Amino acid sequence: MTKVKIGVIGLGNMGSSHVSQLASGLVKGGQLTAVCDFNEDRLKAANEKNGGQLACFTDPDTFFNQADIKAVLIAAPHYDHPTLAEQAFQKGLHVLIEKPAGVYTKNVQRMNEAAAESGKVFSIMYNQRTNPLYQKLRQLIQSGELGEIKRTNWIITDWYRSQSYYDSSEWRATWEGEGGGVLLNQSPHQLDLWQWTTGLMPKRVHAFCHFGRYHNIEVEDDVTAYVEYENGATGVFITSTGEAPGTNRFEIIGDRGKIVVENDQLIFYRLTQSEREFNATYTGGFGEPEHWKIEIPIKGENTQHLGIMQNWVDAILKDIPLLAPGEEGIKGLEISNAIYLSAWLKESVEIPIDSDLFYKTLQEKIKASNFVKAKSGNVVLSVEGTH
């Protein structure tokens, strides 16, 4: 096989962008042959824009049964990611899903099991893993340069969204439509990078979510979460869509210093000796270990979504390792599920969470919702990913 015939399901903002890149031949070895969306106008526009050569489908079942494809890129609503992926694996297709992996870990675990049974190449659109800055950060931490991690702090509040954004479609920022707010829509990349770069998953979470604090919505738009790790380290994750100007600052403190990621810079405040060693041997009373401020050079291209698609196709054709294996999507989702559950129960929760309890509580939120949101634009009830 010299070309991978690819179908895209979901022609929203992200799906349309992926279609354009594939159809333009930017993904070497990938050939776009089919698209699927409930909205016929979107199908027509996508086909006309790409030379009228695409097979178009309005029904996922027909798409999976009739499309001439070997792989599928899923850019559907959050709830549909696991179910569509499972269907694709059953048809023997390779799969790339948009983030997040799903809304709740219960069915994402089933998706992962289906992927393993199929033996097909499964990736997730964690495009920030292509950023050489975060790759270098991961390398520094996991090589031991920072020593044992003591604390992590990420403030990611530069996701500002106006009320008109939420009013643009009735499914936005609802438990039934999106399954959550800033945690599930804007911050999945940071939740992934938080654990991917450090190599640490929290073992306990205590979180506070403010639902509709800054907007007329029913889901969270402001979050503060405190976590504890197995090695005794702690962490804080803060995110919001209601602050302007926002902040994006990630700090990781270790036994050998501190790394700060902000404004596209990676700065390492490197201690000349272990803090634990200094603490045990220093006899001068006041004092602290010497440190050097090092601006770490970042080399390489941040290929974003295109890089993940190329890596996926290369994994299919050349059997190279995946940068973002689809099975790893459950990790960031586990953290966000734990944050929600802690906020709902008003208590700390352990990871892995009780997936049945989370699912039950989420269904109760959906059933109890009588939220009505004014709509300032046309309602788009279409298969699409959101940002």
Side-chain angles (χ1 to χ4, degrees):
M1 183 168 56
T2 58
K3 288 276 189 179
V4 180
K5 293 182 178 180
I6 301 170
V8 175
I9 183 164
L11 299 181
N13 294 333
M14 293 313 305
S16 296
S17 174
H18 301 329
V19 163
S20 179
Q21 289 182 320
L22 286 165
S24 298
L26 296 179
V27 180
K28 296 178 182 179
Q31 179 184 357
L32 180 67
T33 59
V35 288
C36 179
D37 194 283
F38 297 140
N39 188 312
E40 293 189 12
D41 290 336
R42 291 191 179 197
L43 285 173
K44 181 179 179 182
N47 198 23
E48 290 177 351
K49 185 177 179 180
N50 296 289
Q53 301 300 310
L54 303 179
C56 298
F57 301 88
T58 57
D59 173 63
D61 290 336
T62 308
F63 170 77
F64 283 121
N65 287 323
Q66 297 183 11
D68 181 19
I69 57 176
K70 294 295 182 182
V72 61
L73 194 164
I74 298 170
H78 304 155
Y79 277 105
D80 295 332
H81 292 180
T83 52
L84 289 172
E86 283 189 66
Q87 195 171 354
F89 290 130
Q90 290 169 1
K91 296 295 182 180
L93 302 174
H94 304 287
V95 174
L96 171 59
I97 58 170
E98 260 293 348
K99 59 81 182 168
V103 174
Y104 48 92
T105 59
K106 189 178 176 70
N107 66 344
V108 170
Q109 184 58 49
R110 290 198 301 267
M111 173 181 68
N112 286 353
E113 291 168 358
E117 291 173 4
S118 74
K120 296 302 178 180
V121 177
F122 178 34
S123 185
I124 185 169
M125 192 62 81
Y126 279 150
N127 54 285
Q128 288 304 307
R129 291 193 184 189
T130 71
N131 190 329
L133 186 151
Y134 291 114
Q135 292 177 352
K136 175 60 74 173
L137 173 63
R138 185 172 189 260
Q139 178 188 345
L140 282 171
I141 294 173
Q142 300 202 3
S143 68
E145 283 286 326
L146 190 61
E148 184 175 17
I149 291 178
K150 301 162 75 173
R151 186 188 305 278
T152 67
N153 294 297
W154 203 331
I155 302 175
I156 173 68
T157 58
D158 60 349
W159 293 125
Y160 185 79
R161 296 292 186 271
S162 68
Q163 184 63 43
S164 62
Y165 165 84
Y166 292 111
D167 290 346
S168 64
S169 295
E170 67 176 11
W171 45 263
R172 282 197 190 277
T174 62
W175 295 118
E176 185 174 18
E178 288 194 287
V182 62
L183 280 175
L184 210 62
N185 197 4
Q186 281 80 33
S187 293
H189 290 299
Q190 285 70 41
L191 291 174
D192 172 62
L193 292 171
W194 195 19
Q195 57 80 28
W196 183 68
T197 57
T198 62
L200 297 176
M201 274 290 289
K203 71 169 186 177
R204 183 177 297 111
V205 175
H206 195 100
F208 302 88
C209 293
H210 297 275
F211 303 98
R213 180 176 186 178
Y214 298 115
H215 306 91
N216 181 33
I217 57 175
E218 66 178 357
V219 296
E220 84 290 348
D221 56 4
D222 187 76
V223 175
T224 299
Y226 164 81
V227 305
E228 296 175 354
Y229 298 102
E230 196 67 46
N231 72 340
T234 61
V236 175
F237 188 87
I238 298 171
T239 190
S240 176
T241 57
E243 296 182 15
T247 297
N248 185 354
R249 181 181 176 92
F250 186 21
E251 292 188 4
I252 310 97
I253 296 87
D255 181 52
R256 301 292 311 212
K258 175 177 71 174
I259 298 177
V260 178
V261 179
E262 189 173 25
N263 299 323
D264 294 322
Q265 291 183 310
L266 182 60
I267 299 177
F268 188 4
Y269 298 86
R270 190 180 189 279
L271 298 181
T272 57
Q273 70 177 118
S274 160
E275 181 278 326
R276 292 288 79 197
E277 177 187 322
F278 180 90
N279 178 73
T281 60
Y282 181 70
T283 59
F286 291 101
E288 64 180 51
E290 179 187 6
H291 74 268
W292 302 330
K293 180 181 178 181
I294 307 169
E295 294 186 15
I296 304 296
I298 305 300
K299 299 179 180 179
E301 183 182 0
N302 186 2
T303 55
Q304 295 279 349
H305 301 90
L306 184 60
I308 293 294
M309 285 191 284
Q310 186 65 65
N311 175 249
W312 175 55
V313 169
D314 286 345
I316 296 170
L317 292 176
K318 304 173 185 178
D319 198 30
I320 69 167
L322 286 170
L323 180 59
E327 292 85 354
E328 294 184 7
I330 199 170
K331 295 181 179 180
L333 184 65
E334 182 96 49
I335 298 173
S336 66
N337 278 192
I339 291 173
Y340 284 130
L341 196 57
S342 175
W344 291 337
L345 299 178
K346 296 182 172 57
E347 62 185 38
S348 297
V349 299
E350 301 287 326
I351 288 180
I353 64 166
D354 183 336
S355 60
D356 290 324
L357 176 59
F358 178 86
Y359 179 76
K360 177 176 177 289
T361 309
L362 175 62
Q363 299 312 303
E364 289 172 354
K365 294 289 180 184
I366 294 172
K367 186 176 180 181
S369 174
N370 57 1
F371 190 81
V372 177
K373 180 170 56 180
K375 294 179 283 296
S376 60
N378 294 328
V379 177
V380 182
L381 297 177
S382 182
V383 177
E384 62 178 324
T386 60
H387 283 269

